[in-house]
Amino acid sequence: MSKYSIHQFVQKTKQDENAREFFELETDRLLEVNLNGLVWAKAGSMISYEGNIKFEREGMLEHGLGKFVKKAFSGEGAQLMKAHGEGKLYVADSGKKITVLDLEGESIYINGNDLLAFQDGLVWDIKLMRRVAGMMAGGLFNIRLEGEGLVAFTSHYEPLTLLVTPDKPIYTDPNATVAWSGSLEPDFVTDIQLKSLFGRGSGESVQMKFSGNGFVVVQPYEEVYQALQK
């Protein structure tokens, strides 16, 4: 059905009043946070809220000098905001598909541009990809999260998870790589013969190589990252 009465439209698209989980997917591309306390989210991702919620941009030295220096070096868009209070918060990122993970003591790396929100209490740190920083638009960095709690990340279209085993390394385009398990440490390799086939988003023949045991998440889209506007 492509047209609705006003009543039909409201009934079809209204929020789910029964949502009670901390993170609820209202749609595949819209995350509802049932807030009673504090949550970290990507700066600029808030599209609506109700209740008594206060927002603060991440302080320059809030997480220590080390993380500040890393963020200053990266110059990219993992700027965070914190929302605290009680109410419903709705966040999204350019209509990208949202995936919610419940970490149970595990760790995961997420591309800094694709991290949408995470529960307070998770331990996190910024991982700079120095070897590839000069080869890609704006460089490349990732955030490692570990502990007990929920984390939401985004992807263009449906993500694909590839399993990595010792006998089967996985190669990916950095611009299409969304996340990977915390047990993996990627290497960066180049192959000039693949320049016209691999890494079109970066304009270079750079690939990420994952070896060991774990998984890597890719998206069917090569995302060119923009530098953070201060």
Side-chain angles (χ1 to χ4, degrees):
M1 185 176 181
S2 58
K3 60 182 179 179
Y4 307 91
S5 68
I6 291 292
H7 176 74
Q8 288 171 330
F9 177 75
V10 170
Q11 291 301 309
K12 183 175 179 62
T13 60
K14 70 178 182 179
Q15 70 186 71
D16 181 3
E17 297 290 352
N18 295 318
R20 291 294 181 268
E21 296 291 331
F22 184 69
F23 281 0
E24 290 275 356
L25 285 176
E26 281 290 307
T27 72
D28 287 345
R29 303 171 194 278
L30 181 61
L31 179 68
E32 176 187 287
V33 183
N34 291 290
L35 189 60
N36 185 12
L38 187 150
V39 69
W40 289 96
K42 186 175 182 177
S45 64
M46 187 273 286
I47 61 170
S48 180
Y49 73 93
E50 59 183 75
N52 184 22
I53 301 177
K54 302 296 183 182
F55 300 90
E56 296 179 40
R57 183 174 284 271
E58 178 187 16
M60 289 179 63
L61 297 177
E62 182 161 352
H63 302 289
L65 181 61
K67 286 182 182 177
F68 169 70
V69 170
K70 290 179 183 178
K71 293 191 69 163
F73 179 88
S74 68
E76 279 198 41
Q79 185 83 13
L80 297 173
M81 67 175 181
K82 59 181 177 181
H84 54 90
E86 185 173 355
K88 291 182 181 293
L89 170 64
Y90 297 92
V91 293
D93 186 8
S94 303
K96 294 163 67 177
K97 181 177 174 61
I98 299 170
T99 299
V100 176
L101 298 179
D102 187 1
L103 298 186
E104 299 177 336
E106 302 113 325
S107 60
I108 188 170
Y109 286 93
I110 298 177
N111 183 293
N113 197 56
D114 299 321
L115 180 63
L116 180 62
F118 60 92
Q119 226 171 342
D120 187 43
L122 286 172
V123 178
W124 64 277
D125 196 9
I126 296 171
K127 175 77 171 179
L128 296 175
M129 300 298 175
R130 291 183 175 86
R131 289 182 57 189
V132 78
M135 304 177 186
M136 301 181 62
L140 183 70
F141 73 101
N142 298 275
I143 297 177
R144 186 181 191 273
L145 301 108
E146 182 176 15
E148 305 272 346
L150 298 170
V151 57
F153 66 86
T154 60
S155 61
H156 287 276
Y157 313 107
E158 297 290 335
L160 173 66
T161 299
L162 304 169
L163 297 181
V164 181
T165 59
D167 62 335
K168 189 180 70 173
I170 297 293
Y171 297 83
T172 66
D173 179 344
N175 293 86
T177 306
V178 175
W180 62 89
S181 51
S183 59
L184 299 179
E185 288 284 347
D187 291 322
F188 290 90
V189 297
T190 59
D191 187 338
I192 195 64
Q193 295 180 344
L194 294 177
K195 185 170 183 177
S196 63
L197 303 174
F198 213 157
R200 291 179 292 115
S202 64
E204 297 289 345
S205 55
V206 181
Q207 303 105 51
M208 298 176 77
K209 178 183 179 182
F210 295 89
S211 303
N213 285 293
F215 64 87
V216 57
V217 180
V218 294
Q219 62 184 0
Y221 185 93
E222 290 174 298
E223 194 165 8
V224 177
Y225 311 114
Q226 301 298 320
L228 174 65
Q229 298 298 314
K230 304 293 186 185

